[in-house]
Every structure is written in C-alpha cells, then in structure tokens.
Amino acid sequence: MSDVQSSPAESLMAEPEPIINDFQIMIATVNGSGSQTANTALLRAIFRMGIPISGKNIFPSNIQGLPTWFTIRVSKDGYIARMEDVHIMVAMNRDTFEEDVQKVTSGGICLYRSEWKVREDREDITYYALPVKDLIDELDVPGNLKSYVENMIYVGALATIIEIDLDDIGFALDFHFGGRAKPINMNMAAVRAGYEWAQDNLAKRDPFKVARMDKTDGMLLLDGNSAGALGAVFGGVSFIAWYPITPSTGMIDAVRAYLADMRTDPNTGDATYAIVQAEDELAAIGMVIGAGWAGARAMTSTSGPGMSLMSEFAGLAYFAEIPSVIWNVQRMGPSTGLPTRTSQGDVLAAYFLGHGDTKHPVLFPNDLSEAFEFGWKAFDLAEQLQTLVFVLSDLDLGMNLWMSKPFAYPDVPMDRGKLVTAEDIEREGKFWRYEDKDGDGIAARTLPGTDHPLAAYFVRGTGHDERAIYSERSEDWLANMARLNRKFDTGRGLVPQPVVDQVAGAAIGIIAYGTSDGCVIEGRDRLQAEHRLATSYLRLRALPLNDVTRKFIANHDRIYVVENNSDGQMAMILRMEYPELAGRIVSLAFADGMPLSPRWMVNALLEQE
Amino acid sequence: MGARTNELGLTRNDYKGRPSTLCAGCGHNSISNQIIAVAYEMGLNQHDVIKLSGIGCSSKSPAYFLGRSHGFNALHGRMPSIATGATTANRDLIAVGVSGDGDTGSIGLGQFKHMIRRNVPIVYIVENNGVYALTKGQFSATADIGQKLKYAGINEMPPIDICMEALIDNASFVARSFAGDPTQVRELLKAAISHKGTAVLDIISPCVTFNNHETSSKSYPYGKSHQESLQDITYIPMYDPIIIDVMEPGQVQAVEMHDGSHVVLKKLDPTKHDPTNRLAAMQLLEEARAKEQFITGLIYVDETQKTLPELSHMVKTPLAHLPNETLRPPREALAKVMDRLVCCD
Ligand SMILES: Cc1ncc(C[n+]2csc(CCOP(=O)(O)OP(=O)(O)O)c2C)c(N)n1
Ligand code: SF4
Ligand SMILES: [Mg+2]
C-alpha cells in the first residue's frame, strides 16, 4: 500500500538489534481531549533521563474534536529538526487510525486501543493492543475526567515498552501540576495501570528503548513564546498592545505572568507596565507607536494577518522615526490559510512593510536563547535607531517545547538611544529634531513633556525638514531620505551579526535563518557523512545584511538558501542586495505547513548538484 | 507696551503655532484660535500638552496652535490609538486631539468608539464640516440628507451623529458647538480640558470651499457671479469666518452658511437639561434631529467613570519616566525563573 512498507517482512523475524535513544514517537489523538498533559509528561520524563528530545504539536484550527498529532523526537546526537519517520505510533484516534498506521516506518510499533477490534494488517510493524477502556474503568476516576486521565494509560504502557523510568514520569507530572498532590496522584495511578498491564501482558517484539544519558543536565524546557516574552521583560518593556491571534497569543499570556511577577511595585502593588488588548492589530500598533513616541519601551505580538494590518503604521514609524517593536510569530497564509501551521513566509513583507520606500531591521531567533536575547535587544535597537524593529519567530519555535541552556542575563546596560533633555537644549540653545549631528543618520529626540520652550516638535508623515517643519521641497525630501538610508546603514553594524562556519575547501555554502537552523545542522552532517559533501554555513540572525554575508557568498561557488516559505524570500533579498553575486544563489524553499526536514534538504540540495 | 501675560508670564502669542495654511474663513481656524485663547487663559504649561490628529484639513490644524507642545499628526482615522499609547506611557500628559468628520465618522469610527469605551484621557475635537475637504469635496458620513456638493451630487444617506455615537459607547463627556460661537467653544473647551476622561467635542466647522454648491438658490452672490471660476477646484474665494451673536440659553438661531444654506442651532438651557442623565441626553439629540436642529452645549458628562490609566492599575510615575533599574529586573530575578525551569537538580 504505502512505500514505507517496502522492507521485507522476514527481516523482522530475526532478533532485532536494539535501537536506543534514536527514534520518533507520534501520538495521534483528538484535540480538546487533554492529551497535551500526557504528551508533555512523556517528553519531560525522557528529557529528565538526560536524553535530548524535541516535541512538536501538530494541531488543527479548532477547539475540540479534530485530529491532532504530537511528535517526540528522541535523539542521542541532539538533533532537533523535524523527522519524517515515525517509529512508534500511539494511535488513540479511531477516525485517523488507518491513516496513522500507514505513517509507521517499517519495523516500527503501533500501540492502539484494543476495544476498536481493528485488523492488524501490516506485517512489517509490531502491533500492541491496549485495553484503555477496561483499565480506566477499574480506576477511581470521576466520570467527567475519564477521557482526560485515560491518556495516561498509554504513557504507562509506553514506559514499559521503551523502558522509561516511572520516577521520571512522576517528576514530570509533579512539574506539570506544580506539586498539587490530587491531580498528580490521579494521573499517576493511570500511568501505573498502563505500566503494570503492559508488564504483565505485553511481550516486547520491537527494538526501541531509551537509556539514561547525561546530555540534558542543567538544561530547561520551554516554548519560544515564553522565552521571547521573558526577553522582553528583561528588555524593560513597559507597554504592550495586542490583538489575539494564534500562534502569538501565548507570548502575551507569558509576558503578562512574568510582568505581574517581576514588575509590580512592592510598596503599592501597582504595575510598572500596562497591557492593552486592542480592538484590532491596526490599533495595537498605533498604541505601541504612541507609547514609543512618549518614551516607553513598547511592543506588540502578532502573526502574518495581523502584521499586514499594521502596514500603514509601519511606514509611519519608519518615516517619523518612532522606536517600536513587533514580534511576528509566523504561520501559514491569510486568516483562513493554515493558521496552526508554521512557516517563514513573512520575511519580505516584514522587511519592507509600509507604503513603499520603507525598510526595517528584522531579527531571526533560531532557538530559545536567541528568542530571549532578541527579546531584550530589539528594544535597544529600536531606541538606538529610533525605528520599528521586527522579531520574526514562527509557530514551530513559538508554540513547541525546546531544550535550552539557562538564558544569559543581558551583558550590556539598556541603551535608550539619543535623547535630548531640557538641560541639553539650554546649553545648545537649539533643538532640531531631524538634524544628523553625528553623521550616522540618527538624530536625537526629545520626549513629550520635556520642559523647555524649544523642546517640542511635530511628528508627521508629511515631508519635513531638519526642524520637523512641514516641507514639500524636493531637496528636503531627498535629504531626509538620504539620512534615513544612512541610518539604515548604521543599523547594518548594530544588528546581531551572522554566525559563520566556514569550512576550508567547501565549494558549497548554505544560508539559513531562524528555525531552519535545526534542519541545516543535521542536513550538513548527513551530506558529509553519507555523501562526502562538505558545506560551509552562514546563519543569518538579522536584516539588514552587511559585508560578512557578502564575503561568505563570494567565497563559495554555490550558495543554497534554505527557508520555510514557498517563494524563496531570503534568496530574493540576497540577490537584490548583491546583484553581482546573484548567479550563485540557489533557492531551496519549501513550505507545506511543517518545519523543514533534513531529509528534504539533503535531497533538494543533491538534486541541484 | 507691555503685552498682557497670563499666570506663567506668557503672552497669548506664545500659545500660537505656525501660520495656518488653511483657507481663509475656514471654521477650523476659528477653533484653533479658541484653543490658543483657552490655553492662554487657563495658563496651561505647553510642555504638558500633546497635540494629536488624524488626517484631513482639520487634522492639519494642531500645527497652528500651541507651538511649544509636542504634536503627532498620525494616520487617517488612527489618532485614538496614538492617544491611547501616549497617555498610557505618560499619564501626566494632557492630550488635545483634533479630527474631522471623515477621520472620525468613517475610517476612524472603530478607533473612536474604542477610545471612548476605554475612557482614554483626551480632549477629542471633531471639526465637523460634513465633507471630506482635503480630498476635495466628497460626502462624509455626517452629511445631511439632501446636502449638495459640486462633484458628489446629492447625499441621500442618513447622517451619523457623532454625539449620539459617543453616548452609545458610554462616553464620559459629550458636547456640541459651532465654530462661529467662540464664547461657547471656549467654555466647552475649558470644561473638556478639566474633564479627566475622553471629552468628545463635536464642533460644526463650515468648509468655505467645498460646502459651497452652485446649485443653491441661496448661495453667496459672489459665488453665483463667479460660477465659471468655481468650477476650477484650485480657485478658492476669500470669505470671512462666520461669527454668530451670543446666544441665550434655550435660544434657537438659524445661521447662514457660506453657501447660503442654514444651520439651525439650539443652545441648551442648563436649567432644563440635566447633563448627567444619559437617557435624557439621547432623547435630546433624537428630538433635535427630528426638528433638524443642532443642539449645542454640554450634552452629557460623567466625572465618576474611571479612565484607562486608572483601570490599568499603574504606578503614579509615568511609565516613560521609570528608571532603567525599575524597567529591567535584576540578575537574581532571571536566576529565579531559570531555577524553576531547569530540569535536573
Ligand atoms: C488611509 C488613507 N486613506 C485616504 C486618505 C486620503 N484622505 C486624506 S484627508 C481625507 C478626508 C478627510 O476628511 P475629514 O476628516 O472630514 O477632514 P476635513 O478635511 O474635512 O477637515 C482622506 C480621505 C488618507 N490620507 N489615508
Ligand atoms: S478646504 Fe474647507 S476645510 Fe479645508 S481648509 Fe479650506 S475651508 Fe477649511
Ligand atoms: Mg470634514
């Protein structure tokens, strides 16, 4: 039926070589059924056994009743990219059972509910039928919680099958429920029921198991939205306006909790910040720009559809030079696109968002640490450059759980940019808002409320001269645009620089950014190991580009730009910035709603070679 | 010599902005003059004031008053969001916003209503001329049924009433006036500046250039005899601003507009209308609409309603003034979060 069944069934007859800490589990459930607790408990338990893991939730745009899948990749080598192979399928959704069985890689496992009485018609995989209903009925679980706690039965059974330590599952539940005994005990009872039933009734016929390692010591598990939110808090954010949209909403939930914890005045109980849920994204960015103008560190968080609504204000922020930060946790397509699937599809739109002749610094975090780091750095950049700064995360980073080292406290003090006070004006005897005194294109600003008769200026989208006075003179327009370009060039040196791994003798260079990093790291290893193909790698961390990237391109015969969108957007930007090198740039772009996989990358690259 | 000064030692001239580039006789200019007068009389510190606007002829006017105040000429219909951000970031600022009927009644209606719902602290003036003037004479959503415009023809759609919209959204201050009644405009401006939440001030502000239709039998004789020239949109005849006599409470007065049409004003009689009664305010507007009158005066006020900064439970110090030590939590705070998250102890 499916090509994954290709290997001969006979090979299974031989005693299988154990496969330790190197496989993928997929759990198929129905959304709204509460499987998330079970799945993260599994993930965290394996993580606690010291084994590198990564988890992905593949869910529908729906609240209850549609199929959802959760994958846990267990990788002794620490690979975190998406894997196509499914070695262990936990099939808990009858509606997708037939489809789910076909996903299992030959030699894999399918664990399913025995009460379905389905035919086990693949001979190249191992089936384990689990009497979930009987087991849960035997337990003392209130009726309304049954379908929720039920999920723990497969956790327990899996623990037997792949040898996860029950203590580690206990720890994971303890963490999940914040130490509350009642839910911990109830869930743990179900885990034990599944575990013991499997101990007594299942004969292990598969090779997969976990074994303790020490590769996760001192590491944490978190989602990218929370990491970015925490970064914003340590960047001194004091004003947030937003409008709900998946997958960015979690960032606001997180920032709200962190701020309440860390930015409440201990004496009065008052907040040293404000969060406004706006009527739409257009208003959200307007509020952020109003607050940025008035001197607060202000941000919003959104996704593609919301960002497109912010377009007019983005142009104004660029032209009127107002510090502001937009986090875009990218997803697929328009509102009715694939709102719960990931992509890197907003790169071009973010870079040029506005009325035309506008461009913005854009930061691309690849992991939790960078989400945290760019969370605070974005504010420094926005105030240094007095402009709108984007941070482009995506659903994969934002909503999934990742491993990370603890985040590093900001290594530089907050940089509030060039600010002019009443005393400065008194000394100078004048204040011209758009005067480029330092030649870096950045003019100093005053904040509203500055007590000096010469401090005020009028922000406008219309043409203006150095004194911020209305002007329709061509010379003034040209001078202002030239200064804005100078400022943008200054930004090239201020944004996070690319990370370069230049391999001696490699003719091929790869350029990627953001979450495509995981795919490239593993893809390069495979190219080297399986095809003896050496590649260099440059990971972009921000736009605008600078000479580091130009040199990297110039140093290689061919440059493959790996990205998770359909149009090859970064490849376009690179060709546009470096027309003389455009001929070397090959786009490897793919977007089907899933994060990029190394297998895809290797095949796509070899096809070109 | 010795020009008169206010309590801050400033002259009225010190409250002016740059020279107006609006048409002579434009109602918007009269309103700017009253803002200057009121700020001078009240002795406002200009650095405490921010001037905000959307887009339109009306929205240009903040450049022409309070030259020592920071100003923000925002996007079309989006001034409320700028106001929300700015006044939350710095709760000490006094926001004075100028919008138009197009800016507020059409593209900006959503933001207008949500600003009111949040009771953002701002004096929100709508300079209402029933027309999109800056784009040269299209109907706005406040145009009366039967109103004629040179290019747009006759309006057959019912108007939106800015004051009624505001009342429906629970506005805490609603007033209406006429640009040609400087005394009342000043009175209401003072009340609005003293109000702590959103103060909506709908001011009928004649556009001498685009509300001047040649088909009107009552149009200016000047306009009639220059019909040829008036076809040329760049030719703007000079008019004097319309100023009306001081009205007594309860008085009804028909005011002739530049195009010869009439606006009928009825000044509210404070002894007959209780401005703290929302239902009565709505009824008043509805009755006036039936009689094709514009009620002027303070229509509704509620001083008890909480403002957005109050509802945000923020510190008294403006967020924009908080020191970096307050903004960035200490090293230990991050260590605490990390400790909670780290897997294996
Ligand atoms: C997004 C956007 N759409 C359209 C315009 C063009 N525009 C400028 S002013 C205006 C109408 C202004 O009307 P109103 O607010 O009544 O002001 P008035 O000029 O009558 O004082 C329009 C449609 C614009 N500036 N921005
Ligand atoms: S066109 Fe009308 S609204 Fe605009 S400045 Fe002239 S008179 Fe005023
Ligand atoms: Mg108008």
Side-chain angles (χ1 to χ4, degrees):
Chain A
M1 265 163 83
S2 149
D3 55 357
V4 290
Q5 298 183 31
S6 51
S7 73
E10 294 89 294
S11 68
L12 288 174
M13 308 309 282
E15 180 67 16
E17 270 293 298
I19 297 175
I20 300 166
N21 296 345
D22 194 12
F23 52 85
Q24 177 156 264
I25 307 170
M26 178 179 270
I27 300 140
T29 52
V30 177
N31 76 325
S33 67
S35 57
Q36 194 72 0
T37 310
N39 299 340
T40 42
L42 254 180
L43 180 92
R44 196 174 289 282
I46 302 172
F47 173 67
R48 190 163 193 258
M49 292 179 71
I51 310 161
I53 43 82
S54 57
K56 294 193 193 306
N57 192 13
I58 303 149
F59 62 105
S61 176
N62 175 265
I63 303 301
Q64 197 180 43
L66 286 185
T68 165
W69 293 269
F70 191 85
T71 61
I72 299 174
R73 179 172 182 185
V74 182
S75 169
K76 60 179 171 22
D77 302 314
Y79 291 128
I80 51 165
R82 181 171 75 88
M83 192 181 207
E84 279 108 339
D85 293 320
V86 175
H87 304 94
I88 301 175
M89 173 63 73
V90 180
M92 292 292 135
N93 181 359
R94 179 64 189 88
D95 290 345
T96 58
F97 175 75
E98 278 75 20
E99 186 192 325
D100 292 334
V101 167
Q102 295 312 317
K103 288 183 183 145
V104 181
T105 302
S106 196
I109 306 175
C110 177
L111 180 66
Y112 71 100
R113 299 172 69 125
S114 59
E115 62 261 26
W116 291 343
K117 313 217 181 316
V118 287
R119 280 183 42 210
E120 301 184 349
D121 49 12
R122 271 188 68 178
E123 288 175 1
D124 61 331
I125 64 174
T126 307
Y127 287 89
Y128 297 123
L130 185 63
V132 174
K133 193 169 177 312
D134 294 347
L135 290 172
I136 198 78
D137 283 346
E138 280 164 28
L139 291 175
D140 177 26
V141 174
N144 59 339
L145 287 181
K146 262 190 186 151
S147 67
Y148 173 70
V149 176
E150 211 172 67
N151 295 300
M152 293 298 158
I153 304 274
Y154 68 70
V155 174
L158 259 189
T160 291
I161 298 169
I162 61 173
E163 300 176 17
I164 305 171
D165 202 319
L166 278 197
D167 284 351
D168 292 302
I169 293 177
F171 170 87
L173 286 175
D174 190 287
F175 186 95
H176 185 90
F177 290 108
R180 278 173 295 135
K182 205 169 155 207
I184 296 171
N185 292 339
M186 187 167 59
N187 282 284
M188 204 55 206
V191 171
R192 248 182 232 109
Y195 180 84
E196 279 156 18
W197 180 88
Q199 291 282 334
D200 299 343
N201 299 283
L202 284 190
K204 185 167 168 76
R205 288 170 279 137
D206 69 83
F208 303 101
K209 56 180 175 183
V210 293
R212 211 168 275 285
M213 296 176 84
D214 60 0
K215 288 207 177 173
T216 64
D217 282 1
M219 294 183 83
L220 55 88
L221 267 187
L222 195 66
D223 59 281
N225 278 340
S226 297
L230 196 59
V233 172
F234 284 86
V237 66
S238 58
F239 181 85
I240 295 166
W242 69 294
Y243 190 76
I245 184 169
T246 304
S248 71
T249 304
M251 183 158 192
I252 304 297
D253 295 340
V255 87
R256 189 190 300 281
Y258 289 132
L259 282 172
D261 191 25
M262 288 181 254
R263 288 275 300 279
T264 301
D265 187 301
N267 302 317
T268 61
D270 290 334
T272 58
Y273 61 91
I275 302 177
V276 180
Q277 183 180 328
E279 57 270 34
D280 54 33
E281 286 87 349
L282 229 151
I285 184 64
M287 292 174 192
V288 165
I289 288 170
W293 170 63
R297 289 201 149 183
M299 66 170 271
T300 182
S301 175
T302 187
S303 194
M307 187 189 75
S308 38
L309 274 182
M310 296 177 179
S311 168
E312 195 188 6
F313 260 125
L316 183 69
Y318 172 78
F319 192 74
E321 304 180 61
I322 316 281
S324 39
V325 173
I326 299 178
W327 271 76
N328 176 346
V329 188
Q330 297 164 98
R331 64 186 217 182
M332 293 281 273
S335 269
T336 47
L338 296 176
T340 60
R341 303 298 155 90
T342 196
S343 101
Q344 295 181 308
D346 296 340
V347 177
L348 269 172
Y351 191 35
F352 296 121
L353 197 70
H355 50 268
D357 278 346
T358 53
K359 42 198 181 294
H360 316 282
V362 186
L363 313 184
F364 304 101
N366 71 327
D367 64 8
L368 296 186
S369 289
E370 269 188 10
F372 175 81
E373 181 188 337
F374 295 174
W376 59 264
K377 227 168 228 174
F379 290 113
D380 283 352
L381 276 171
E383 289 191 327
Q384 284 170 328
L385 292 168
Q386 296 179 25
T387 198
L388 170 63
V389 171
F390 278 97
V391 186
L392 248 58
S393 171
D394 58 32
L395 183 143
D396 189 27
L397 175 61
M399 292 190 73
N400 288 321
L401 284 173
W402 303 90
M403 302 177 295
S404 174
K405 290 206 179 71
F407 309 147
Y409 193 75
D411 52 359
V412 286
M414 280 165 65
D415 185 337
R416 306 302 309 261
K418 294 184 193 173
L419 278 173
V420 171
T421 62
E423 295 73 51
D424 297 334
I425 303 174
E426 197 53 42
R427 207 171 38 243
E428 294 269 321
K430 74 167 209 209
F431 167 64
W432 289 7
R433 168 65 181 100
Y434 296 113
E435 187 186 14
D436 184 8
K437 279 188 171 175
D438 307 323
D440 56 3
I442 306 170
R445 61 176 183 145
T446 53
L447 298 182
T450 305
D451 185 3
H452 194 284
L454 299 177
Y457 68 98
F458 200 67
V459 180
R460 54 171 106 240
T462 37
H464 47 255
D465 62 14
E466 286 179 297
R467 302 154 84 166
I469 290 169
Y470 183 91
S471 167
E472 295 188 16
R473 284 163 32 117
S474 302
E475 306 86 274
D476 287 335
W477 185 269
L478 290 173
N480 192 47
M481 293 307 277
R483 183 180 55 78
L484 286 173
N485 276 332
R486 223 158 38 238
K487 184 168 88 163
F488 203 67
D489 285 340
T490 301
R492 292 177 195 276
L494 290 178
V495 298
Q497 299 300 297
V499 178
V500 184
D501 178 18
Q502 175 97 36
V503 171
I508 294 174
I510 295 172
I511 293 181
Y513 55 94
T515 46
S516 297
D517 183 41
C519 160
V520 175
I521 290 173
E522 189 173 347
R524 289 179 69 208
D525 285 356
R526 286 208 203 167
L527 283 170
Q528 183 63 54
E530 295 162 19
H531 305 277
R532 293 181 189 285
L533 194 57
T535 55
S536 298
Y537 178 31
L538 178 142
R539 181 166 68 82
L540 281 173
R541 299 202 299 161
L543 289 171
L545 304 168
N546 64 25
D547 221 37
V548 177
T549 304
R550 198 193 59 77
K551 281 193 187 124
F552 180 81
I553 299 173
N555 281 343
H556 296 87
D557 297 343
R558 283 176 306 291
I559 293 290
Y560 291 97
V561 185
V562 176
E563 52 192 321
N564 201 0
N565 55 52
S566 303
D567 287 348
Q569 299 184 20
M570 189 62 83
M572 287 190 211
I573 292 171
L574 290 166
R575 290 190 194 114
M576 197 169 55
E577 292 258 349
Y578 307 120
E580 73 282 8
L581 299 170
R584 309 173 183 219
I585 296 170
V586 184
S587 168
L588 292 187
F590 187 70
D592 64 352
M594 303 297 284
L596 296 179
S597 84
R599 181 184 295 168
W600 162 80
M601 186 196 108
V602 168
N603 291 341
L605 193 148
L606 289 177
E607 243 170 56
Q608 303 277 340
E609 279 298 305
Chain B
M1 288 213 358
R4 292 232 323 246
T5 58
N6 65 6
E7 60 197 71
L8 297 178
L10 297 174
T11 67
R12 193 175 176 286
N13 273 346
D14 291 329
Y15 285 85
K16 286 187 172 170
R18 302 193 60 77
S20 171
T21 59
L22 302 180
C23 306
C26 175
H28 303 348
N29 281 334
S30 323
I31 299 169
S32 297
N33 288 336
Q34 300 328 314
I35 295 172
I36 292 169
V38 163
Y40 165 71
E41 284 167 27
M42 292 176 82
L44 284 187
N45 264 318
Q46 288 180 67
H47 68 262
D48 287 337
V49 177
I50 50 172
K51 313 171 290 183
L52 310 172
S53 61
I55 301 291
C57 292
S58 35
S59 293
K60 285 184 169 197
S61 60
Y64 316 136
F65 58 80
L66 309 193
R68 298 182 186 179
S69 295
H70 275 77
F72 201 136
N73 184 192
L75 298 178
H76 197 18
R78 315 302 175 196
M79 179 244 288
S81 58
I82 294 290
T84 307
T87 56
T88 307
N90 186 341
R91 61 188 302 171
D92 288 351
L93 297 171
I94 300 166
V96 176
V98 178
S99 174
D101 41 323
D103 197 65
T104 291
S106 292
I107 193 166
L109 194 57
Q111 291 210 348
F112 173 66
K113 286 173 157 285
H114 286 277
M115 166 191 72
I116 290 171
R117 174 172 169 260
R118 297 187 181 101
N119 207 18
V120 171
I122 183 175
V123 178
Y124 190 92
I125 301 165
V126 183
E127 300 185 343
N128 191 344
N129 53 15
V131 70
Y132 284 19
L134 191 58
T135 48
K136 306 199 166 173
Q138 300 79 27
F139 284 116
S140 84
T142 64
D144 292 313
I145 294 184
Q147 187 178 320
K148 289 182 192 158
L149 288 178
K150 191 147 103 194
Y151 298 110
I154 299 178
N155 174 47
E156 298 186 75
M157 228 85 80
I160 279 177
D161 183 323
I162 300 282
C163 291
M164 189 64 104
E165 295 295 338
L167 276 175
I168 287 168
D169 305 322
N170 267 314
S172 57
F173 183 110
V174 181
R176 173 170 280 149
S177 190
F178 176 58
D181 187 348
T183 317
Q184 190 190 43
V185 170
R186 277 201 300 274
E187 268 169 30
L188 290 174
L189 271 173
K190 282 182 188 164
I193 290 171
S194 310
H195 179 70
K196 64 174 185 164
T198 306
V200 175
L201 208 47
D202 181 27
I203 307 183
I204 305 205
S205 176
C207 168
V208 297
T209 304
F210 293 108
N211 238 343
N212 188 5
H213 53 93
E214 68 276 21
T215 49
S216 167
S217 57
K218 293 176 191 151
S219 72
Y220 249 35
Y222 183 90
K224 224 175 179 173
S225 58
H226 288 75
Q227 229 168 13
E228 286 283 291
S229 316
L230 279 177
Q231 305 294 354
D232 176 4
I233 202 85
T234 59
Y235 173 68
I236 312 293
M238 300 291 282
Y239 294 111
D240 290 329
I242 300 167
I243 302 287
I244 60 166
D245 300 333
V246 174
M247 287 169 73
E248 296 303 319
Q251 187 189 333
V252 178
Q253 188 180 354
V255 183
E256 186 170 292
M257 300 309 229
H258 294 95
D259 64 354
S261 64
H262 287 78
V263 171
V264 181
L265 303 174
K266 180 169 185 195
K267 193 159 215 166
L268 273 176
D269 182 350
T271 61
K272 299 233 174 75
H273 172 63
D274 171 11
T276 64
N277 183 336
R278 198 158 147 253
L279 207 58
M282 287 184 182
Q283 191 168 357
L284 197 71
L285 287 175
E286 193 53 28
E287 284 170 5
R289 190 181 66 86
K291 288 191 235 162
E292 297 190 358
Q293 290 178 344
F294 276 109
I295 290 289
T296 70
L298 181 59
I299 296 167
Y300 181 72
V301 65
D302 172 10
E303 282 295 342
T304 63
Q305 208 172 303
K306 286 213 166 89
T307 64
L308 182 62
E310 287 167 355
L311 289 170
S312 303
H313 307 291
M314 290 189 296
V315 286
K316 296 285 171 285
T317 315
L319 299 180
H321 294 172
L322 292 172
N324 290 355
E325 306 82 77
T326 306
L327 295 177
R328 171 172 286 170
R331 206 171 273 278
E332 304 76 65
L334 181 63
K336 216 171 99 192
V337 180
M338 293 295 100
D339 280 353
R340 252 181 288 162
L341 288 174
V342 166
C343 157
C344 319
D345 10 69

